[in-house]
Amino acid sequence: MIAIREPRASEAAACRLLLPEARLAPHAAQFRLAVDDGHIIGASAFHDDGATIGGVRFHVIPPHRRQGIASLLLANIDETARALGREKLTAHADIHNEADAEPFLEARGFRRISRLTVVDCEIGKLRASWQAARQKLRPEDALPESARFVEIGGIDDATMNEIVRLYAEHIAHVPYMPGQRRLWNLQRFRDSLVLTIDGKVAGVLLAQVTDGVLHAPAWIVPPEYRSRHIGLWLRVTLVDRLIDRVKRARFEFLESATASAKVKNEAGYETVRVIAGFERDIAEKPD
């Protein structure tokens, strides 16, 4: 008989091995194990944020898949959620590399609410593409004399607060609150570039280089500047500054970011991951 239970202290390493991404979540993960005759055959991870049960993930060892193990793990999470008085579950899955994830979740009442695409490109190819795009700019597309490119470490508090506000509005899609500056700590993207025009933030490209890979998780241009090719100026200037340190570039965008999707197609990026977010009401307890 298959048992679903909390892991013992000695099984913590097994949880991290089966669901390594749970360690990277902003909330502390809780784990459950599926055990058959003393052998671990699957695991789930989730966290309780006080309103919903989020970060739901599953991993079933290949020989035991398609035997209802993940469904048992999900039923256990439902039971936990009901005991805590929660009303919703949220889950994420890499639907580019996990072909069965979306059909499994949809068959159990989840609906997709977001999709984040992660793409990758060799830096030389990327630079050539962006430089070719810059050559097409007309004289009237030039930046005004008041334009300044500033590294994120060199901006003042007022400008940092404006960047956090833009991130809240256009990336996180939540109301701006002062405490978000500490929560997101955008300064950690130490290679980021900010463009100001007349002292106002006209664009931000968050970036960080690690082991030769340029990771750009957010590219923000306020609506009033989007007709001025600000995004292109940011991208080309950033690559020009970092070209000696970077071998590959990786960035991500939501499905609503049509401009980013266009850039991905023009530069020849390869899709690495597609992280989809799902949501479902807590299932009622079976009779």
Side-chain angles (χ1 to χ4, degrees), residues 115-152:
R115 186 175 66 189
L116 179 78
T117 300
V118 182
V119 296
D120 182 281
C121 187
E122 189 273 325
I123 193 66
K125 183 178 180 181
L126 178 66
R127 188 187 193 195
S129 172
W130 288 356
Q131 293 287 11
R134 183 162 68 174
Q135 296 301 319
K136 297 179 182 179
L137 294 176
R138 302 163 298 176
E140 56 266 34
D141 296 323
L143 294 173
E145 291 185 3
S146 63
R148 299 289 183 270
F149 289 101
V150 188
E151 295 181 358
I152 201 165

Side-chain angles (χ1 to χ4, degrees), residues 8-280:
R8 304 184 179 103
S10 61
E11 295 167 330
C15 294
R16 293 193 296 268
L17 179 65
L18 292 172
L19 292 164
E21 66 276 15
R23 296 184 296 110
L24 305 177
H27 304 273
Q30 299 183 48
F31 293 92
R32 297 292 184 269
L33 296 177
V35 181
D36 184 15
D37 193 24
H39 299 286
I40 297 172
I41 60 175
S44 65
F46 61 92
H47 63 255
D48 176 23
D49 67 7
T52 63
I53 296 295
V56 174
R57 292 282 292 161
F58 306 96
H59 182 92
V60 177
I61 295 173
H64 300 278
R65 291 175 182 172
R66 301 187 183 280
Q67 297 176 27
I69 309 303
S71 294
L72 289 174
L73 289 163
L74 178 58
N76 178 268
I77 295 174
D78 270 325
E79 183 179 345
T80 300
R82 286 193 296 269
L84 292 170
R86 308 301 181 241
E87 297 182 353
K88 289 188 181 297
L89 297 180
T90 62
H92 289 83
D94 180 356
I95 60 176
H96 180 70
N97 297 304
E98 302 170 17
D100 294 335
E102 187 166 18
F104 171 83
L105 291 169
E106 288 184 341
R108 285 149 186 83
F110 284 86
R111 62 187 182 277
R112 183 164 64 83
I113 57 174
S114 65
R115 186 175 66 189
L116 179 78
T117 300
V118 182
V119 296
D120 182 281
C121 187
E122 189 273 325
I123 193 66
K125 183 178 180 181
L126 178 66
R127 188 187 193 195
S129 172
W130 288 356
Q131 293 287 11
R134 183 162 68 174
Q135 296 301 319
K136 297 179 182 179
L137 294 176
R138 302 163 298 176
E140 56 266 34
D141 296 323
L143 294 173
E145 291 185 3
S146 63
R148 299 289 183 270
F149 289 101
V150 188
E151 295 181 358
I152 201 165
I155 60 176
D156 57 27
D157 282 346
T159 303
M160 190 68 234
N161 287 336
E162 177 63 9
I163 291 171
V164 173
R165 185 191 67 78
L166 290 170
Y167 187 90
E169 181 178 351
H170 298 285
I171 303 298
H173 300 289
V174 297
Y176 169 69
M177 293 182 292
Q180 290 164 341
R181 178 170 174 175
R182 295 190 301 274
L183 175 65
W184 291 323
N185 187 25
L186 301 183
Q187 294 97 322
R188 72 186 186 276
F189 297 104
R190 57 184 179 274
D191 297 303
S192 302
L193 196 61
V194 181
L195 174 63
T196 64
I197 295 178
D198 297 324
K200 297 180 180 180
V201 176
V204 183
L205 184 53
L206 294 181
Q208 185 171 357
V209 179
T210 304
D211 297 329
V213 177
L214 169 61
H215 178 218
W219 166 37
I220 312 166
V221 178
E224 60 268 29
Y225 292 101
R226 289 178 186 171
S227 63
R228 304 175 68 170
H229 303 283
I230 300 299
L232 175 59
W233 286 113
L234 280 167
R235 299 194 307 271
V236 172
T237 304
L238 183 71
V239 169
D240 284 347
R241 292 187 177 199
L242 301 177
I243 191 68
D244 294 335
R245 297 171 48 200
V246 177
K247 296 179 180 179
R248 303 194 67 82
R250 180 169 294 182
F251 83 97
E252 53 205 46
F253 57 91
L254 295 168
E255 57 188 327
S256 58
T258 54
S260 296
K262 182 180 179 181
V263 168
K264 178 251 183 184
N265 294 331
E266 289 178 348
Y269 278 91
E270 296 180 2
T271 299
V272 176
R273 292 182 294 159
V274 179
I275 308 300
F278 298 86
E279 184 179 82
R280 195 204 70 183

